[in-house]
């Protein structure tokens, strides 16, 4: 009986740890994606065919976080 009890609590602890890690990883990704300045740039069109007239290949991606041509509106 005590072995099953300990095993059940261990299993719950592992599941709680995995949920905690998943949440932390998700928040880290969200913080990184909120650093993308494209939506506030004057060269950003918002059109899905041509998002940015200067850098259409990496507009609205993580590569645009340090965009050298970023100009706020």
């Amino acid at each position: 009986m005590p072995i099953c009890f300990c095993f059940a609590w261990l299993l719950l602890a592992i599941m709680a740890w995995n949920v905690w890690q998943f949440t932390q990883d998700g928040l880290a990704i969200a913080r990184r994606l909120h650093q993308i300045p494209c939506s506030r740039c004057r060269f950003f069109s918002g059109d899905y065919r041509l998002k940015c007239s200067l850098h259409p290949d990496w507009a609205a991606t993580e590569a645009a976080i340090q965009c050298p041509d970023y100009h706020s509106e």
Side-chain angles (χ1 to χ4, degrees), residues 35-66:
Q35 292 177 350
I36 298 173
C38 291
S39 63
R40 298 178 306 271
C41 183
R42 75 168 130 174
F43 299 115
F44 187 70
S45 66
D47 186 9
Y48 71 93
R49 294 171 291 202
L50 182 64
K51 295 178 187 173
C52 177
S53 58
L54 298 177
H55 304 289
D57 53 337
W58 45 276
T61 63
E62 288 185 50
I65 290 175
Q66 298 296 328

Side-chain angles (χ1 to χ4, degrees), residues 19-35:
V19 168
W20 175 258
Q21 286 297 108
F22 179 74
T23 304
Q24 293 299 318
D25 291 344
L27 288 174
I29 291 170
R31 278 188 216 107
R32 188 170 57 242
L33 292 178
H34 280 281
Q35 292 177 350

